[in-house]
């Protein structure tokens, strides 16, 4: 009985799902939103691993702790990735004020 009624109504009456046109801009992810790549995130954010997924996180500013990778590809091994330092900053060993430089901490610093 359902198929016969459908024929009487006609296909025009059924709602159709159409994909959004490619020219409509999609909203960029905000901090904490899930992402696949940094281009999915708003300005000032990057897409970085958080546990077993990836979320938009803030790009690091001057003085913030950063991660320096000695081996290529080591970034993929972290479960809590940090973004890179903002433009004009580099991830360098923090300079200590004391006599012995015992800290292995890296921070974003001006070139």
């Amino acid at each position: 009985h359902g198929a016969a009624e459908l024929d009487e109504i006609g296909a025009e009456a059924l709602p159709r799902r159409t994909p959004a046109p490619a020219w409509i801009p999609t909203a960029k992810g905000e901090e904490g939103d899930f992402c696949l790549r940094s281009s999915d995130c708003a300005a000032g954010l990057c897409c970085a691993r958080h546990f077993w997924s990836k979320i938009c996180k803030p790009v690091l500013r001057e003085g913030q702790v950063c991660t320096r990778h000695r081996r290529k590809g080591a970034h993929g091994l972290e479960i809590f990735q940090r973004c890179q330092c903002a433009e004009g900053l580099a991830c360098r060993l923090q300079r200590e004020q004391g006599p012995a430089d015992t800290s292995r901490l890296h921070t974003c610093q001006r070139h």
Side-chain angles (χ1 to χ4, degrees):
H1 111 93
E5 288 175 7
L6 187 61
D7 286 341
E8 291 172 22
I9 295 171
E12 304 86 43
L14 298 175
R16 290 195 327 233
R17 292 179 187 231
T18 56
W23 53 266
I24 295 179
T26 56
K28 296 284 189 172
E30 296 298 323
E31 188 173 342
D33 288 349
F34 289 103
C35 56
L36 293 175
R37 60 193 69 84
S38 291
S39 60
D40 296 338
C41 301
L45 301 174
C46 83
C47 188
R49 190 176 331 281
H50 190 80
F51 286 113
W52 290 271
S53 58
K54 293 175 96 177
I55 62 170
C56 297
K57 294 183 180 184
V59 170
L60 300 176
R61 296 185 306 272
E62 188 171 7
Q64 289 187 306
V65 174
C66 54
T67 305
R68 177 105 184 209
H69 299 287
R70 291 184 179 87
R71 290 189 322 261
K72 201 171 190 149
H75 203 60
L77 302 175
E78 294 177 282
I79 105 171
F80 293 108
Q81 286 178 335
R82 292 184 176 110
C83 288
Q84 69 282 358
C85 295
E87 198 171 327
L89 301 176
C91 188
R92 294 195 177 126
L93 190 62
Q94 184 173 319
R95 293 182 275 270
E96 291 295 319
Q97 308 301 334
D101 188 331
T102 57
S103 173
R104 301 300 305 157
L105 207 57
H106 287 76
T107 57
C108 292
Q109 302 170 24
R110 297 238 169 251
H111 289 293

